Coordinates of all heavy atoms in Angstrom, one line a residue:
V1 N -31.1 -22.0 101.7 CA -30.4 -20.7 101.8 C -31.2 -19.7 102.7 O -30.5 -19.0 103.5 CB -30.3 -20.0 100.4 CG1 -29.8 -18.6 100.4 CG2 -29.4 -20.9 99.5
V2 N -32.5 -19.7 102.7 CA -33.3 -18.8 103.5 C -33.0 -19.1 105.0 O -33.0 -18.2 105.9 CB -34.8 -18.9 103.2 CG1 -35.6 -18.3 104.3 CG2 -35.0 -18.2 101.9
L3 N -32.8 -20.4 105.4 CA -32.5 -20.8 106.7 C -31.2 -20.1 107.3 O -31.1 -19.9 108.5 CB -32.3 -22.3 106.9 CG -33.6 -23.1 107.0 CD1 -33.3 -24.6 107.0 CD2 -34.4 -22.7 108.3
F4 N -30.3 -19.7 106.4 CA -29.1 -19.1 106.8 C -29.4 -17.7 107.4 O -28.6 -17.2 108.3 CB -28.1 -18.9 105.6 CG -26.8 -18.3 106.0 CD1 -25.8 -18.9 106.7 CD2 -26.6 -16.9 105.6 CE1 -24.6 -18.4 107.0 CE2 -25.4 -16.3 105.9 CZ -24.4 -17.0 106.6
L5 N -30.4 -17.0 107.0 CA -30.7 -15.7 107.4 C -31.2 -15.6 108.9 O -30.7 -14.8 109.7 CB -31.8 -15.0 106.5 CG -31.3 -14.8 105.1 CD1 -32.4 -14.3 104.2 CD2 -30.1 -13.8 105.1
P6 N -32.1 -16.5 109.4 CA -32.4 -16.4 110.8 C -31.3 -16.8 111.7 O -31.2 -16.3 112.8 CB -33.6 -17.4 110.9 CG -33.6 -18.3 109.7 CD -33.0 -17.4 108.6
L7 N -30.4 -17.6 111.2 CA -29.2 -18.0 111.9 C -28.3 -16.7 112.1 O -27.8 -16.5 113.2 CB -28.4 -19.1 111.2 CG -27.1 -19.5 111.9 CD1 -27.3 -20.1 113.3 CD2 -26.4 -20.5 111.0
A8 N -28.1 -16.0 111.1 CA -27.4 -14.7 111.1 C -28.0 -13.7 112.1 O -27.4 -13.0 112.9 CB -27.2 -14.1 109.8
A9 N -29.4 -13.6 112.0 CA -30.1 -12.7 112.9 C -30.0 -13.1 114.3 O -29.8 -12.3 115.2 CB -31.5 -12.6 112.4
A10 N -30.1 -14.4 114.6 CA -30.1 -14.9 116.0 C -28.7 -14.7 116.6 O -28.6 -14.5 117.8 CB -30.5 -16.4 116.0
T11 N -27.6 -14.7 115.8 CA -26.3 -14.6 116.4 C -25.8 -13.1 116.3 O -24.6 -12.9 116.6 CB -25.3 -15.5 115.6 OG1 -25.4 -15.2 114.2 CG2 -25.7 -17.0 115.8
G12 N -26.7 -12.2 115.8 CA -26.3 -10.8 115.8 C -25.4 -10.5 114.6 O -24.7 -9.4 114.6
H13 N -25.3 -11.3 113.6 CA -24.5 -11.0 112.4 C -25.2 -10.7 111.2 O -24.6 -10.7 110.1 CB -23.6 -12.3 112.2 CG -22.6 -12.6 113.2 ND1 -22.9 -13.4 114.3 CD2 -21.3 -12.1 113.4 CE1 -21.8 -13.5 115.1 NE2 -20.9 -12.7 114.6
L14 N -26.5 -10.3 111.3 CA -27.3 -10.0 110.1 C -26.9 -8.6 109.7 O -27.1 -7.6 110.4 CB -28.8 -10.1 110.4 CG -29.7 -9.9 109.2 CD1 -29.4 -10.9 108.1 CD2 -31.1 -9.9 109.6
R15 N -26.3 -8.5 108.5 CA -25.8 -7.2 108.0 C -26.3 -7.1 106.5 O -26.7 -8.0 105.9 CB -24.3 -7.1 108.0 CG -23.6 -7.3 109.4 CD -23.8 -6.0 110.2 NE -23.1 -6.2 111.5 CZ -23.5 -6.7 112.6 NH1 -24.7 -7.3 112.6 NH2 -22.8 -6.8 113.7
V16 N -26.2 -5.9 106.0 CA -26.5 -5.7 104.6 C -25.7 -6.5 103.7 O -26.2 -7.1 102.7 CB -26.4 -4.2 104.2 CG1 -26.5 -4.0 102.7 CG2 -27.4 -3.3 104.9
T17 N -24.4 -6.7 104.0 CA -23.5 -7.6 103.2 C -24.0 -9.0 103.2 O -23.9 -9.7 102.1 CB -22.1 -7.5 103.8 OG1 -22.1 -7.9 105.2 CG2 -21.5 -6.2 103.6
I18 N -24.6 -9.5 104.2 CA -25.2 -10.9 104.2 C -26.4 -10.9 103.3 O -26.5 -11.9 102.5 CB -25.7 -11.3 105.7 CG1 -24.5 -11.3 106.6 CG2 -26.4 -12.6 105.6 CD1 -23.5 -12.4 106.4
L19 N -27.2 -9.9 103.3 CA -28.3 -9.9 102.3 C -27.8 -9.9 100.9 O -28.4 -10.6 100.0 CB -29.2 -8.7 102.6 CG -29.8 -8.5 104.0 CD1 -30.6 -7.2 104.1 CD2 -30.8 -9.7 104.2
F20 N -26.8 -9.2 100.6 CA -26.2 -9.1 99.2 C -25.6 -10.5 98.9 O -25.4 -10.8 97.7 CB -25.3 -8.0 99.1 CG -25.9 -6.7 98.8 CD1 -26.3 -5.8 99.8 CD2 -26.2 -6.3 97.4 CE1 -27.0 -4.6 99.5 CE2 -26.8 -5.1 97.1 CZ -27.2 -4.3 98.1
A21 N -25.1 -11.2 99.9 CA -24.5 -12.5 99.6 C -25.5 -13.6 99.3 O -25.4 -14.5 98.4 CB -23.6 -13.0 100.8
V22 N -26.7 -13.5 100.0 CA -27.7 -14.5 99.9 C -28.6 -14.3 98.6 O -29.0 -15.2 97.9 CB -28.6 -14.5 101.1 CG1 -29.9 -15.3 100.9 CG2 -27.8 -15.1 102.3
A23 N -28.8 -13.0 98.3 CA -29.7 -12.7 97.2 C -29.4 -13.3 95.9 O -30.3 -13.8 95.2 CB -29.8 -11.1 97.0
P24 N -28.1 -13.4 95.4 CA -27.8 -14.0 94.1 C -28.1 -15.5 94.1 O -28.5 -16.0 93.1 CB -26.3 -13.8 94.0 CG -26.0 -12.6 94.8 CD -26.9 -12.7 96.0
V25 N -27.9 -16.2 95.2 CA -28.3 -17.6 95.3 C -29.8 -17.8 95.1 O -30.2 -18.7 94.4 CB -27.8 -18.2 96.6 CG1 -28.0 -19.7 96.6 CG2 -26.3 -18.0 96.8
L26 N -30.6 -17.0 95.8 CA -32.0 -17.1 95.7 C -32.4 -16.8 94.3 O -33.3 -17.4 93.7 CB -32.7 -16.2 96.7 CG -32.5 -16.5 98.2 CD1 -33.1 -15.4 99.1 CD2 -33.2 -17.8 98.5
M27 N -31.8 -15.8 93.7 CA -32.1 -15.4 92.3 C -31.9 -16.5 91.4 O -32.7 -16.9 90.5 CB -31.3 -14.2 92.0 CG -31.5 -13.7 90.5 SD -30.4 -14.5 89.3 CE -28.8 -13.9 89.9
L28 N -30.7 -17.2 91.5 CA -30.4 -18.3 90.5 C -31.3 -19.5 90.7 O -31.6 -20.2 89.8 CB -28.9 -18.7 90.7 CG -27.9 -17.6 90.2 CD1 -26.5 -18.1 90.6 CD2 -27.9 -17.5 88.7
A29 N -31.6 -19.8 92.0 CA -32.5 -20.9 92.2 C -33.9 -20.8 91.7 O -34.6 -21.7 91.3 CB -32.6 -21.2 93.7
S30 N -34.3 -19.5 91.5 CA -35.7 -19.3 91.0 C -35.7 -18.9 89.5 O -36.7 -18.7 88.9 CB -36.3 -18.1 91.8 OG -35.6 -16.9 91.6
L31 N -34.5 -19.0 88.9 CA -34.3 -18.5 87.5 C -35.2 -19.3 86.5 O -35.7 -18.7 85.6 CB -32.8 -18.7 87.1 CG -32.4 -18.2 85.7 CD1 -32.8 -16.7 85.5 CD2 -31.0 -18.5 85.5
L32 N -35.4 -20.6 86.7 CA -36.1 -21.4 85.7 C -37.6 -21.4 85.9 O -38.3 -21.9 85.0 CB -35.6 -22.8 85.8 CG -34.1 -23.1 85.5 CD1 -33.8 -24.6 85.7 CD2 -33.8 -22.7 84.1
M33 N -38.1 -20.8 87.0 CA -39.5 -20.9 87.3 C -40.4 -20.2 86.3 O -41.5 -20.8 86.0 CB -39.8 -20.4 88.7 CG -39.1 -21.3 89.8 SD -39.7 -23.0 89.8 CE -41.4 -22.8 90.2
A34 N -40.0 -19.0 85.9 CA -40.9 -18.3 85.0 C -41.1 -19.0 83.6 O -42.3 -19.3 83.2 CB -40.4 -16.9 84.8
P35 N -40.0 -19.3 82.9 CA -40.3 -20.1 81.6 C -40.8 -21.5 81.8 O -41.5 -22.0 81.0 CB -38.9 -20.1 81.0 CG -37.9 -19.9 82.1 CD -38.6 -19.0 83.1
M36 N -40.5 -22.0 83.0 CA -41.0 -23.4 83.3 C -42.5 -23.5 83.3 O -43.1 -24.5 82.8 CB -40.4 -23.9 84.6 CG -40.6 -25.4 84.8 SD -39.9 -26.0 86.3 CE -38.2 -25.3 86.3
E37 N -43.2 -22.6 83.9 CA -44.6 -22.6 84.0 C -45.3 -22.6 82.6 O -46.2 -23.4 82.3 CB -45.2 -21.4 84.8 CG -46.7 -21.5 84.9 CD -47.2 -20.3 85.8 OE1 -46.6 -20.0 86.8 OE2 -48.2 -19.7 85.4
T38 N -44.7 -21.8 81.7 CA -45.3 -21.7 80.3 C -45.1 -23.1 79.6 O -45.9 -23.6 78.9 CB -44.6 -20.6 79.5 OG1 -44.9 -19.4 80.2 CG2 -45.2 -20.5 78.1

């Protein structure tokens, strides 16, 4: 997912809306990490 952001920046399409679209995916992917360590 993070690789999508430099692609958007390189093509001049990086907008606030792109950040809001990517953020939920990153959030869900990291959801299990906190309880998993314990």
Side-chain angles (χ1 to χ4, degrees):
V1 171
V2 164
L3 276 177
F4 181 75
L5 295 172
L7 177 62
T11 58
H13 292 91
L14 186 59
R15 304 284 188 273
V16 170
T17 52
I18 297 292
L19 298 178
F20 275 91
V22 166
V25 182
L26 292 172
M27 177 273 297
L28 289 172
S30 63
L31 181 60
L32 299 176
M33 293 303 294
M36 191 182 308
E37 179 177 320
T38 300

